[in-house]
Amino acid sequence: MRSEIISVTTGSRETVHDITRECADFVRAQGGDGLLHIFVPHATAGVALLELGSRSDDDLLAALRDLLPPDDRWRHAHGSPGHGRSHVMPALIPPYATIPVLDGRMALGTWQSVALVDLNVDNPQRQVRLSFLSD
């Protein structure tokens, strides 16, 4: 298995950050067939496969705001208001995804992208581990 870590700056607001290009570059360098595993070693971020660029990212953030309001209801209460919801979010959007790779290319659907989802405005720097398991 080959693995590398990429750094992602998510900034100081909730974000759905496209990492498709970085994932594609990584698997292209590996070549051949296998599996790409994407893992975010943070308790407050997740990985989603969805259409980006058509405001789906805005829809996802709106849905998460509805499901996990950024208010003072959370028992986990350090950090910015509503920080506790960031710790619940990975149960809905897991911190990992696995994608088939065929001939050095991710076998994503036509409109699928790979995104880092981060609601934690207190931590603007994230790491993402990309691992490739060849056949």
Side-chain angles (χ1 to χ4, degrees), residues 22-131:
E22 292 90 337
C23 292
D25 291 347
F26 175 72
V27 299
R28 190 177 310 103
Q30 309 313 311
D33 296 347
L35 293 173
L36 169 65
H37 187 74
I38 304 146
F39 177 69
V40 181
H42 299 284
T44 57
V47 176
L49 303 178
L50 74 159
E51 179 180 7
L52 296 174
S54 63
R55 305 221 36 214
S56 296
D57 44 346
D58 295 331
D59 290 337
L60 176 58
L61 291 174
L64 289 171
R65 268 189 234 86
D66 289 344
L67 289 169
L68 305 169
D71 57 25
D72 62 359
R73 73 182 68 200
W74 306 100
R75 290 181 182 100
H76 185 99
H78 72 82
S80 60
H83 178 74
R85 77 189 190 119
S86 297
H87 287 276
V88 174
M89 195 258 324
L92 302 173
I93 299 176
Y96 59 86
T98 301
I99 301 169
V101 175
L102 303 171
D103 196 26
R105 297 182 63 198
M106 292 184 292
L108 292 171
T110 302
W111 303 111
Q112 284 182 313
S113 295
V114 183
L116 171 66
V117 180
D118 189 1
L119 301 183
N120 184 355
V121 299
D122 296 328
N123 186 357
Q125 290 298 128
R126 297 300 186 161
Q127 292 185 337
V128 179
R129 178 172 293 281
L130 306 177
S131 299

